[in-house]
Amino acid sequence: MNVVGMIVEYNPLHNGHVYHFAEAKRLTKADAVIAVMSGDFLQRGEPAIVDKWARAEMALHLGADLVLELPIAYAAQPAEWFAYGAVALLEATGVATHLCFGSEAGALEALQPFAERLADDGGALKAAVAEELATGASFPAAYAAAAARLLAGSGAAAAARALLEQPNNSLGLHYLIALRRLHSGIAPVTVRRRAAGYNDAAPTDARIASATAVRRLIAGGGLDAAAPYLPPYTAGILAREFAAGRGPVTWENLAAPLFHQLLLASPEQLRACHEMTEGLEYRIKKALPRLEKPTVSELLAKLKTKRYTHTKLQRTLLHALLLHPQGLLAPEALAEGPGYLRVLAFSKRGQELLKQMKQLAKLPIVTRAAELDHPQLTLDIRAAAAYANAMPARRADQLFREYRQPPLRV
Amino acid sequence: MNVVGMIVEYNPLHNGHVYHFAEAKRLTKADAVIAVMSGDFLQRGEPAIVDKWARAEMALHLGADLVLELPIAYAAQPAEWFAYGAVALLEATGVATHLCFGSEAGALEALQPFAERLADDGGALKAAVAEELATGASFPAAYAAAAARLLAGSGAAAAARALLEQPNNSLGLHYLIALRRLHSGIAPVTVRRRAAGYNDAAPTDARIASATAVRRLIAGGGLDAAAPYLPPYTAGILAREFAAGRGPVTWENLAAPLFHQLLLASPEQLRACHEMTEGLEYRIKKALPRLEKPTVSELLAKLKTKRYTHTKLQRTLLHALLLHPQGLLAPEALAEGPGYLRVLAFSKRGQELLKQMKQLAKLPIVTRAAELDHPQLTLDIRAAAAYANAMPARRADQLFREYRQPPLRV
């Protein structure tokens, strides 16, 4: 039985995801699909527009058979650790046979040679990235340049650089590297991203828009404006969640608690947070009194330099908001991989997968948050509570939903 | 020159305060008045309805010549330390000759004998209070009973008990004890509280209502409902502050950051906060998932037992909100007294007082928050920022007002 894994955020699930999903099933002849999905906070350091339960429901409608939560320890991290955590989760299911990801390249042959060279570099890549960063380059640029340097001998340096500066190629490369590092038997497959670039702010096609564009349409003109780019179930679920006051959630909904934390913390306390590196704690403390408005977007704008990407800054603020200590998210800890398989949703076929997984999985399967005591799971529960506390309508039943909510089923 | 000190909260300043002020000046033949005023958070562990600057302005209108801020290290504390901090501040001015406070007793003779007996008890009172607390009594009841026990030999036990169960008598007694402990030459004077009890929820007189009653009237019917009990300048200042979105501030305005803190903190982290004693951290963690609504008032209701007063619980939540560490507010630290005289406002006569104080004061006089680096002042600045962040209209200029705002003047 072919089981394809996909690593997703569905923020929200749109027509581009529908296309990718169909292609993944077609290319891998998959009988079942496992979606590894970020929880309430995403790789770019943002809260999701609606919570993980609503987005897992969208995934079920799409046809996913099993939705696993990528722990926030990996979900809100740079590509390297995001990919490592997600691939390790798939590998730990014991049942995934394929991994399908979108990329600008659209062909594995373009990425695989770089993965071979970069997977076991013995620290040379890391050192090269650090050198590039020291010149003031942003992380993606530094990564691409460092990879190009390491590949210089192969005559593919310029190609590598061009390739890796595209975000989905870069993420795809990290999936490939993670598969190698984990000695995984999962077969990678890539689908060329259609129509909309990851970061495109405006729709570029009559039916396909990036998730970023979809969220902007919703922010500007409500759900109706975004409807052409969404499958009907997404529009329905979003409408229901918004009506219940559970969304949309943006960084600005978290402004009051974030500012509270930043105002109270000393630079030393801020420095104890994950990703608070190279004096960013002082930069934050200096930026606060210079703001015109106490909004997260203005704080981010004031913090921005060539050196720090918007994404890096958002993630740093997220770790400060959630008081993520460095130790738990240090490379040594992350290299041990996720500690559990948290089930958010499953279909009938997913139920069969879960039965198989009871024999084959390499990690405990968690269907209720209270079942397991694990530091990564504690971070997930805390993140969900902080997210619920920032919903437009604060409700007590949402703050502790994690403990009561069984997996969603169809 | 007679200079009378008054220890106040003015939350908000009402007709009862006008009466007390006039009586204090009359009884002490004072040429000038120093008001020692709590900042943005008050003794009962609540945020003030409007910030300290607006309330200092009310004090100037009333006729106060100098308004000093009681550091939050003392302002949000049980009567013993509240009184000690406030009296120590007055003593440190070097110019105060009298201290006038309201009491239910209305005569110093009723309180002074107890102060004599209780001021230098060598720990016997503390031990007796602890014993009474261990029977499950609330703190005020335990204190009154312990004092009665210690005074048993004097034949005044029953009288002591009846006297000290009234909150302003108890506070007054602590002022007298503090004066003795500080070997102060300041002469105490007491004025009988008129018409309204401290805790009266509803007005009991056509012109006089307690501050609690005034705040309830405002919450229920707006400023107009409270106007009969307020001098016109209080009504004017409140109207202006409300219109600017700087008030009214209640605990519910702090619910989002408070819940964020409580949800993220482990019991161990909560226990590190001041006043988080006797397993209260576990009680909070257990209460949170049982709430019907994520409001502070419901959390307080769930936490309430015979043992813990509402005030004790509010203060504990306040210390958790503001991340007040135990060490800084431990008895040994508090016994050293306030570290500075922070000037919030002064009149022409107050300016002369300040000139004298430059020679006579026993502590540095601070007119700008940035002038001094002192851990208690850091707490005051943090408290002001957290308060401003909870105002109905969040504005960047309010978050750091402490650094820019010079003392108010008339």
Side-chain angles (χ1 to χ4, degrees):
Chain A
M1 183 161 104
N2 283 358
V3 178
V4 63
M6 284 184 246
I7 298 161
V8 302
E9 296 197 320
Y10 292 159
N11 183 40
L13 194 154
H14 56 63
N15 291 339
H17 295 121
V18 177
Y19 162 79
H20 175 81
F21 187 89
E23 280 294 284
K25 283 194 85 165
R26 187 180 66 80
L27 289 171
T28 60
K29 299 182 177 55
D31 306 291
V33 178
I34 300 176
V36 173
M37 194 183 82
S38 301
D40 294 328
F41 294 94
L42 307 177
Q43 207 239 329
R44 291 205 269 176
E46 293 170 323
I49 187 167
V50 290
D51 72 18
K52 57 182 157 193
W53 301 106
R55 284 155 44 241
E57 198 180 337
M58 295 172 194
L60 283 184
H61 280 281
L62 175 63
D65 295 297
L66 183 62
V67 184
L68 300 177
E69 181 175 356
L70 179 62
I72 193 169
Y74 296 94
Q77 293 278 12
E80 179 184 355
W81 289 115
F82 176 89
Y84 184 79
V87 172
L89 216 57
L90 265 188
E91 172 65 19
T93 62
V95 298
T97 57
H98 293 75
L99 162 62
C100 185
F101 56 88
S103 65
E104 293 86 356
L108 225 48
E109 298 70 39
L111 296 167
Q112 202 60 282
F114 302 129
E116 276 172 43
R117 295 285 299 271
L118 297 174
D120 307 296
D121 73 289
L125 179 61
K126 188 159 290 196
V129 171
E131 282 175 36
E132 294 291 336
L133 282 172
T135 69
S138 72
F139 190 85
Y143 191 91
R149 269 170 55 190
L150 257 78
L151 297 167
S154 70
R161 192 168 197 146
L163 209 64
L164 298 183
E165 279 183 346
Q166 295 181 284
N168 286 277
N169 285 341
S170 176
L171 200 52
L173 176 73
H174 283 293
Y175 294 143
L176 298 176
I177 292 174
L179 285 171
R180 288 178 175 270
R181 289 195 176 151
L182 290 159
H183 307 290
S184 173
I186 294 174
V189 178
T190 188
V191 174
R192 190 189 301 273
R193 284 176 61 87
R194 238 187 86 188
Y198 184 57
N199 284 312
D200 288 352
T204 52
D205 181 285
R207 299 270 299 143
I208 308 275
S210 72
T212 305
V214 166
R215 292 194 304 275
R216 292 209 184 169
L217 286 169
I218 292 172
L223 265 174
D224 286 347
Y229 309 99
L230 304 175
Y233 50 82
T234 291
I237 291 168
L238 289 178
R240 184 196 67 202
E241 294 297 300
F242 294 176
R246 291 193 290 268
V249 175
T250 73
W251 251 120
E252 300 311 338
N253 296 80
L254 291 154
L258 176 70
F259 275 79
H260 184 84
Q261 307 273 49
L262 296 180
L263 290 165
L264 290 192
S266 65
E268 293 67 33
Q269 286 166 327
L270 286 183
R271 193 161 55 228
C273 291
H274 181 60
E275 284 212 48
M276 194 68 73
T277 52
E278 303 166 75
L280 207 42
E281 67 274 20
Y282 292 104
R283 209 173 151 71
I284 290 171
K285 280 292 187 183
K286 272 193 189 165
L288 287 171
R290 293 179 189 158
L291 299 179
E292 302 268 312
K293 287 188 213 161
T295 62
V296 180
S297 63
E298 188 168 323
L299 176 58
L300 284 165
K302 278 271 189 298
L303 293 176
K304 187 80 184 70
T305 62
K306 196 181 148 207
R307 172 65 165 282
Y308 297 119
T309 62
H310 189 76
T311 297
K312 152 83 179 175
L313 292 170
Q314 282 200 135
R315 279 198 302 255
T316 307
L317 292 185
L318 180 62
H319 296 305
L321 174 78
L322 298 177
L323 300 174
H324 282 171
Q326 282 177 344
L328 211 51
L329 302 181
E332 314 81 65
L334 294 175
E336 289 182 20
Y340 48 91
L341 294 156
R342 171 93 190 272
V343 181
L344 295 180
F346 57 86
S347 68
K348 275 231 155 32
R349 187 159 295 171
Q351 195 165 12
E352 290 164 34
L353 278 182
L354 281 168
K355 264 185 215 157
Q356 288 181 46
M357 283 165 59
K358 277 188 187 139
Q359 308 301 320
L360 299 169
K362 294 156 200 163
L363 289 172
I365 298 166
V366 177
T367 51
R368 301 262 191 169
E371 280 167 17
L372 185 76
D373 187 15
H374 189 285
Q376 286 176 3
L377 189 56
T378 302
L379 292 190
D380 291 343
I381 294 168
R382 285 171 51 181
Y387 182 91
N389 191 50
M391 286 176 174
R394 293 175 64 250
R395 288 178 47 147
D397 59 354
Q398 292 300 313
L399 299 182
F400 289 89
R401 183 174 177 185
E402 290 301 290
Y403 289 104
R404 292 187 326 273
Q405 177 70 56
L408 306 175
R409 304 171 64 161
V410 277
Chain B
M1 182 161 105
N2 282 359
V3 178
V4 63
M6 284 184 245
I7 297 162
V8 301
E9 296 197 320
Y10 292 158
N11 184 42
L13 195 154
H14 56 62
N15 291 338
H17 296 121
V18 177
Y19 163 80
H20 175 81
F21 188 90
E23 280 294 284
K25 283 194 84 165
R26 186 181 66 80
L27 289 171
T28 60
K29 300 183 177 56
D31 307 290
V33 178
I34 300 177
V36 173
M37 194 184 81
S38 302
D40 293 327
F41 294 93
L42 308 177
Q43 208 240 329
R44 291 206 268 177
E46 293 170 323
I49 187 166
V50 290
D51 73 19
K52 56 183 158 191
W53 301 106
R55 285 156 43 244
E57 198 180 336
M58 295 173 194
L60 283 184
H61 279 282
L62 175 62
D65 296 296
L66 183 62
V67 185
L68 300 176
E69 180 175 359
L70 179 61
I72 192 168
Y74 296 94
Q77 294 278 13
E80 180 185 353
W81 289 115
F82 176 88
Y84 185 80
V87 172
L89 217 56
L90 266 188
E91 173 64 21
T93 62
V95 298
T97 56
H98 292 76
L99 163 62
C100 186
F101 56 90
S103 65
E104 293 87 356
L108 224 49
E109 298 70 39
L111 296 167
Q112 203 60 282
F114 303 129
E116 275 171 42
R117 295 286 298 272
L118 298 173
D120 308 293
D121 71 289
L125 179 62
K126 188 159 289 195
V129 171
E131 281 175 37
E132 295 291 336
L133 281 172
T135 69
S138 72
F139 190 86
Y143 191 90
R149 271 170 55 189
L150 257 78
L151 298 167
S154 69
R161 192 167 198 145
L163 209 64
L164 297 182
E165 278 181 348
Q166 294 182 284
N168 285 277
N169 285 341
S170 176
L171 201 52
L173 175 74
H174 284 292
Y175 294 143
L176 297 177
I177 292 174
L179 285 171
R180 286 178 176 270
R181 290 198 174 149
L182 291 159
H183 307 290
S184 174
I186 294 174
V189 177
T190 188
V191 174
R192 189 188 301 274
R193 283 177 63 86
R194 238 185 86 186
Y198 185 57
N199 284 312
D200 289 350
T204 53
D205 181 284
R207 299 271 300 144
I208 307 275
S210 73
T212 305
V214 166
R215 291 193 304 275
R216 293 208 184 169
L217 286 169
I218 292 172
L223 266 174
D224 286 348
Y229 309 99
L230 303 175
Y233 50 83
T234 291
I237 291 168
L238 289 177
R240 183 195 68 202
E241 295 297 301
F242 295 175
R246 290 193 292 266
V249 174
T250 73
W251 251 119
E252 301 311 338
N253 296 78
L254 291 154
L258 176 70
F259 275 79
H260 184 84
Q261 307 274 45
L262 297 180
L263 291 165
L264 291 191
S266 66
E268 293 68 33
Q269 287 166 326
L270 286 183
R271 194 161 54 230
C273 291
H274 181 59
E275 283 211 49
M276 193 69 73
T277 52
E278 303 165 76
L280 206 43
E281 67 275 18
Y282 292 105
R283 209 171 152 71
I284 290 172
K285 280 291 186 182
K286 272 192 189 164
L288 288 171
R290 293 177 191 159
L291 299 179
E292 303 268 314
K293 287 190 212 158
T295 61
V296 180
S297 63
E298 188 168 322
L299 177 58
L300 284 165
K302 278 270 187 301
L303 293 176
K304 187 80 186 73
T305 63
K306 196 180 147 207
R307 172 65 165 282
Y308 298 119
T309 61
H310 188 78
T311 297
K312 151 84 180 175
L313 292 170
Q314 282 200 136
R315 278 198 301 254
T316 307
L317 292 184
L318 180 62
H319 296 305
L321 175 79
L322 298 178
L323 300 174
H324 282 171
Q326 282 176 347
L328 211 50
L329 302 181
E332 314 80 66
L334 294 176
E336 289 183 20
Y340 48 91
L341 294 157
R342 171 93 189 272
V343 181
L344 294 180
F346 56 87
S347 68
K348 276 230 153 34
R349 187 161 294 172
Q351 195 164 11
E352 289 165 34
L353 278 182
L354 282 168
K355 263 185 216 156
Q356 287 181 47
M357 283 165 62
K358 279 193 185 134
Q359 310 299 323
L360 299 169
K362 293 156 200 163
L363 288 172
I365 298 166
V366 176
T367 51
R368 302 263 189 168
E371 280 167 18
L372 186 75
D373 187 14
H374 190 285
Q376 287 176 2
L377 189 57
T378 301
L379 293 190
D380 291 343
I381 293 169
R382 285 172 52 182
Y387 182 92
N389 190 50
M391 287 176 175
R394 294 176 64 249
R395 286 177 49 146
D397 59 353
Q398 291 301 313
L399 299 182
F400 289 88
R401 183 174 178 187
E402 289 302 289
Y403 289 104
R404 291 188 323 274
Q405 177 69 57
L408 305 175
R409 304 172 66 161
V410 279

